[in-house]
């Protein structure tokens, strides 16, 4: 039930600190060792490339996961949209391993890929919130998201749970391979930081509501920009805004703006810039100046490490690889408040279904 909440979406946003703690308790034992099936690790270890297959928000969680697996478990990763990959399959690596990310476990676009993967006798893992779902039954292995039922059509806690479970698996795989970066990646500590960091952001709801009114009232377009991990995050932030506020929003690699899209920037165009990615931080600051010079109204969401005076939202400390877990929350809240201000049906946006069981 919604309890005291007006909408499931806000309730599910607020549940995210608890989801982080639940994932940590379930997957990390008291002695710090990980509760991940050895058979699964043995199988993934043989892979020369991971193929993450998903749709929508889950695809965006896969884009973040690619960064985590490559850094922590030393394996190349491709992230694929089920609707494209199934019918235009690229030449696969010699020893592929497939990871299906799906909140519902029922997405037809992802499932048709799994059917083909099974026909090819290739190993797979489904990471899902619904243990007995089709994708979970048909894959070789399953891991549970443990996010609890997600009712609102706009996915929130499943996205952050997917990143957290990917982090657990990446750590387990990296350690199993004795990859040094895996030892340095304190997944237990990071998930605790994630829980606390999300809590800090959800406690700033009133401020985020005011910023949303200031930046998005009367606007029909908005841009999210970032580099590296922040680019992956920008795609999800923009999707959230589109699907429930119906504001046309785009997520852009900050460096790509000047290759065309900057033509759309006019006086007061909202541009929301993410600065969690250390390598990209100074260049993104440059891109902020470029759009401001053309009149854009810029809202900066920066990790405390790279924050500057005037940045409106500060992201508490966390490993950069997991920063989207906290940084997505302001975007979830911005989408929520923008949708509410427009009088939309927040939990059931037009034209959308919670689980898309047709291709
Ligand atoms: C966006 C959203 C969708 C789903 C997508 C995949 O908020 O909910 O984009 O993420 O339809 O669904 P699952 O994860 O159930 O496969």
């Amino acid at each position: 039930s919604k309890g005291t909440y007006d909408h499931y979406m806000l309730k599910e946003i607020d549940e995210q600190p608890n989801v982080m703690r639940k994932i940590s308790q379930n997957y990390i034992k008291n002695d710090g060792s990980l509760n991940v099936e050895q058979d699964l690790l043995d199988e993934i270890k043989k892979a020369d490339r991971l193929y993450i297959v998903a749709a929508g928000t889950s695809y965006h969680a896969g884009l973040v996961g690619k960064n985590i697996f490559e850094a922590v478990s030393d394996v190349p990763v491709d992230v694929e949209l089920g609707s494209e990959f199934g019918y235009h399959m690229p030449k696969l690596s010699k020893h592929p391993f497939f990871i299906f990310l799906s909140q519902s476990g029922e997405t037809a676009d992802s499932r048709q890929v799994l059917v083909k993967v099974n026909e090819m006798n290739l190993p797979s893992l489904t990471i899902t919130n619904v243990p007995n779902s089709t994708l979970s039954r048909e894959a070789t292995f399953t891991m549970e998201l443990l996010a609890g039922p997600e009712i609102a059509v706009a996915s929130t806690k499943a996205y952050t749970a997917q990143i957290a479970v990917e982090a657990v698996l990446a750590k387990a795989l990296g350690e199993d391979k004795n990859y040094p970066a895996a030892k340095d990646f304190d997944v237990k500590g990071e998930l605790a930081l994630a829980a606390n960091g999300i809590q800090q952001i959800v406690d700033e709801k009133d401020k985020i509501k005011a910023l949303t009114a200031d930046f998005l009232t009367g606007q029909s377009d908005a841009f999210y920009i970032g580099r590296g991990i922040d680019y992956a995050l920008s795609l999800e932030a923009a999707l959230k805004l589109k699907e429930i506020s119906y504001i046309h929003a785009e997520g852009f690699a900050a460096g790509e703006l000047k290759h065309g899209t900057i033509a759309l920037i006019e006086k007061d165009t909202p541009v929301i810039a993410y600065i969690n990615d250390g390598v990209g931080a100074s260049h993104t600051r440059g891109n902020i100046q470029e759009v401001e010079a053309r009149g854009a109204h810029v809202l900066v969401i920066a990790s405390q490490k790279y924050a500057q005076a005037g940045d409106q939202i500060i992201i508490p400390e966390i490993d950069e690889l997991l920063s989207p877990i906290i940084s997505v929350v302001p975007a979830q809240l911005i989408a929520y408040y923008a949708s509410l201000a427009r009088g939309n049906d927040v939990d059931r946006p037009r034209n959308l279904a919670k689980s898309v069981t047709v291709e």
Side-chain angles (χ1 to χ4, degrees):
S1 98
K2 281 187 288 203
T4 57
Y5 286 90
D6 290 337
H7 300 98
Y8 281 107
M9 184 182 180
L10 195 60
K11 173 172 179 272
E12 289 163 5
I13 289 171
D14 278 2
E15 282 169 354
Q16 292 174 110
N18 263 332
V19 173
M20 292 301 115
R21 287 187 276 267
K22 206 164 161 201
I23 289 171
S24 183
Q25 280 156 15
N26 186 77
Y27 284 111
I28 308 172
K29 298 181 198 159
N30 286 337
D31 65 1
S33 64
L34 299 174
N35 186 14
V36 176
E37 258 181 282
Q38 190 58 44
D39 286 356
L40 165 60
L41 295 176
D42 289 343
E43 194 63 55
I44 306 197
K45 249 190 326 197
K46 293 184 213 154
D48 57 358
R49 185 173 288 269
L50 308 184
Y51 291 84
I52 297 179
V53 180
T57 288
S58 297
Y59 171 75
H60 296 151
L63 294 175
V64 173
K66 170 184 166 76
N67 288 269
I68 303 172
F69 283 113
E70 292 190 344
V72 175
S73 19
D74 193 31
V75 58
V77 180
D78 281 0
V79 191
E80 310 283 354
L81 293 167
S83 57
E84 284 292 312
F85 186 74
Y87 297 100
H88 302 87
M89 211 175 272
K91 187 172 164 50
L92 298 176
S93 69
K94 275 209 174 64
H95 301 289
F97 185 94
F98 287 84
I99 299 178
F100 292 86
L101 284 183
S102 177
Q103 188 284 127
S104 64
E106 301 296 343
T107 298
D109 286 322
S110 301
R111 192 204 170 214
Q112 51 89 10
V113 179
L114 179 53
V115 169
K116 287 173 185 137
V117 164
N118 283 339
E119 279 166 10
M120 294 186 283
N121 278 313
L122 295 171
S124 59
L125 162 71
T126 290
I127 300 178
T128 182
N129 208 23
V130 185
N132 283 314
S133 56
T134 306
L135 282 158
S136 144
R137 281 185 274 110
E138 294 181 355
T140 324
F141 301 95
T142 302
M143 287 175 81
E144 248 191 271
L145 288 178
L146 305 164
E150 193 182 62
I151 310 290
V153 163
S155 184
T156 54
K157 60 180 180 171
Y159 172 82
T160 46
Q162 279 168 336
I163 297 171
V165 172
E166 286 175 311
V168 168
L169 179 59
K171 163 88 173 172
L173 181 60
E175 278 196 330
D176 214 50
K177 292 165 78 171
N178 272 318
Y179 188 55
K183 292 213 168 50
D184 300 339
F185 182 65
D186 172 17
V187 70
K188 188 177 175 144
E190 293 301 331
L191 291 182
L193 290 175
N196 294 340
I198 297 169
Q199 192 59 53
Q200 243 173 276
I201 300 293
V202 299
D203 288 344
E204 289 179 20
K205 279 193 188 79
D206 291 343
K207 175 182 160 185
I208 293 174
K209 185 176 182 180
L211 285 168
T212 306
D214 182 15
F215 278 81
L216 295 178
T217 303
Q219 296 292 341
S220 51
D221 302 275
F223 295 91
Y224 274 95
I225 63 170
R227 288 169 185 256
I229 201 104
D230 290 328
Y231 171 38
L233 171 62
S234 294
L235 297 175
E236 171 57 13
L239 177 61
K240 280 294 86 80
L241 191 59
K242 281 185 261 209
E243 67 181 328
I244 59 168
S245 79
Y246 316 146
I247 293 171
H248 167 235
E250 296 295 340
F252 260 86
E256 274 296 294
L257 276 181
K258 61 181 174 300
H259 296 291
T261 309
I262 199 164
L264 295 171
I265 304 295
E266 324 180 318
K267 189 172 172 323
D268 293 334
T269 303
V271 175
I272 305 173
Y274 275 120
I275 304 203
N276 299 293
D277 182 280
V279 177
S282 68
H283 281 109
T284 302
R285 292 282 176 193
N287 301 130
I288 289 173
Q289 287 171 358
E290 286 159 13
V291 295
E292 273 179 338
R294 286 151 183 94
H297 192 197
V298 180
L299 194 169
V300 178
I301 304 175
S303 69
Q304 62 183 36
K305 194 163 162 196
Y306 304 114
Q308 293 181 2
D311 293 352
Q312 292 91 335
I313 299 175
I314 308 303
I315 300 302
E317 186 195 341
I318 189 161
D319 189 309
E320 219 167 280
L321 290 168
L322 298 195
S323 61
I325 293 181
I326 305 178
S327 297
V328 77
V329 180
Q332 294 170 344
L333 288 166
I334 287 169
Y336 176 77
Y337 288 119
S339 176
L340 207 59
R342 280 160 198 246
N344 298 348
D345 188 342
V346 174
D347 284 339
R348 279 171 303 158
R350 67 188 184 201
N351 308 342
L352 291 168
K354 182 62 185 163
S355 139
V356 185
T357 52
V358 290
E359 282 182 40

